[in-house]
Amino acid sequence: MVSSEETARIGVLALQGDVREHARALAAAGAEAVEVRRPEELAAVDGLVLPGGESTTIGRLLRIFGLLDPLRAAVGDGLPVYGSCAGMILLAQDVLDGRPDQPLIGGLDVVVRRNAFGRQVDSFEADLEVEGLTGPPLHAVFIRAPWVEKAGDGVTVLARVGEHPVAVRQGHLLATSFHPELTGDIRMHELFVDLVARRLARG
C-alpha cells in the first residue's frame, strides 16, 4: 500500500486489454487509477500500467494516438511502468517470433519470446514464488503468454516457470508474463504502487 502522504496517480493505458481490471487492482492497492489515451494524460501520471492484449495492435494504436514517442521519452526519464503480458513485450528491447514492424517502447533490457507458451488453447494457470512478495505463492494466469528468453545484467528475475523468467524488474520497470488483474490477488499491483510511491517520496 502507499505509505506516503501523497497518493500515487497511476495511469492504465486504455487502448486495448484489461483496463478496468487493472484500475480496480490499483485502487485496491491504494493508488488513484486513471485511464491514459493521450500524451497530456500520460504527462499527468506518476506511473503507468501497460495491460495485456495484442501487442502488435497496441503498438499500432500507440502510434495512432501519438503516444509511442512520448512513452519512450517517459520511460527514458524514469517513469515507473508495469507491463503485463503484451505490456512485457512492449517494454522489451527485442522480441522473438514477433512481426518485423512491431512497435516497441523499449527500456527493459530483455529479449522476449512472443506466444512462448503457445496459443490461446494453451493458456494455463500456475502458483509462483515471486521475489518481493510475502504470503503464499501467487496464483498466475497465463494467456498466450511470452517469456523472457534473455535478460541483461541489470535485470532481476522475480519468478520463473521452469527455467523461463516470467516476472522481471529493472529499476523503475516491472513486467510479468501473466495477468495478475484477473485473480483478485493485488500483490503485484501493491509491489508496483510501492515502487511508484518510493519514487514520489524521493521527489
Side-chain angles (χ1 to χ4, degrees), residues 143-200:
I143 303 171
R144 296 179 62 194
W147 68 45
V148 173
E149 189 85 8
K150 182 180 179 182
D153 293 338
V155 177
T156 300
V157 175
L158 304 180
R160 300 175 187 267
V161 169
E163 298 179 353
H164 305 295
V166 294
V168 294
R169 178 179 173 183
Q170 183 181 7
H172 59 291
L173 302 177
L174 179 69
T176 61
S177 300
F178 49 87
H179 292 263
E181 75 282 4
L182 298 180
T183 65
D185 188 329
I186 64 169
R187 284 178 291 167
M188 287 304 305
H189 292 84
E190 287 178 331
L191 186 67
F192 182 61
V193 170
D194 185 60
L195 190 160
V196 175
R198 287 201 305 271
R199 185 173 186 267
L200 282 174

Side-chain angles (χ1 to χ4, degrees), residues 5-77:
E5 292 183 4
E6 184 176 3
T7 299
R9 192 168 196 263
I10 300 181
V12 181
L13 184 68
L15 302 182
Q16 191 200 47
D18 298 329
V19 177
R20 292 178 185 173
E21 292 85 351
H22 275 293
R24 279 197 295 265
L26 288 168
E32 177 192 356
V34 298
E35 295 185 0
V36 170
R37 295 184 183 86
R38 298 177 178 85
E40 58 268 27
E41 294 168 341
L42 174 64
V45 298
D46 304 310
L48 183 71
V49 172
L50 304 175
E54 209 292 311
S55 59
T56 306
T57 300
I58 295 173
R60 187 173 70 248
L61 290 171
L62 285 173
R63 280 199 174 122
I64 292 170
F65 281 79
L67 276 167
L68 186 60
D69 288 336
L71 245 178
R72 287 171 173 166
V75 167
D77 288 341

Side-chain angles (χ1 to χ4, degrees), residues 71-124:
L71 245 178
R72 287 171 173 166
V75 167
D77 288 341
L79 179 73
V81 179
Y82 168 39
S84 66
C85 198
M88 171 187 270
I89 294 170
L90 290 165
L91 285 175
Q93 291 296 103
D94 197 12
V95 176
L96 304 177
D97 296 335
R99 291 173 54 120
D101 59 347
Q102 168 90 60
L104 299 175
I105 297 163
L108 189 60
D109 187 16
V110 296
V111 177
V112 169
R113 185 173 295 279
R114 192 170 176 267
N115 294 336
F117 290 103
R119 307 299 296 181
Q120 192 86 16
V121 294
D122 300 306
S123 300
F124 68 99

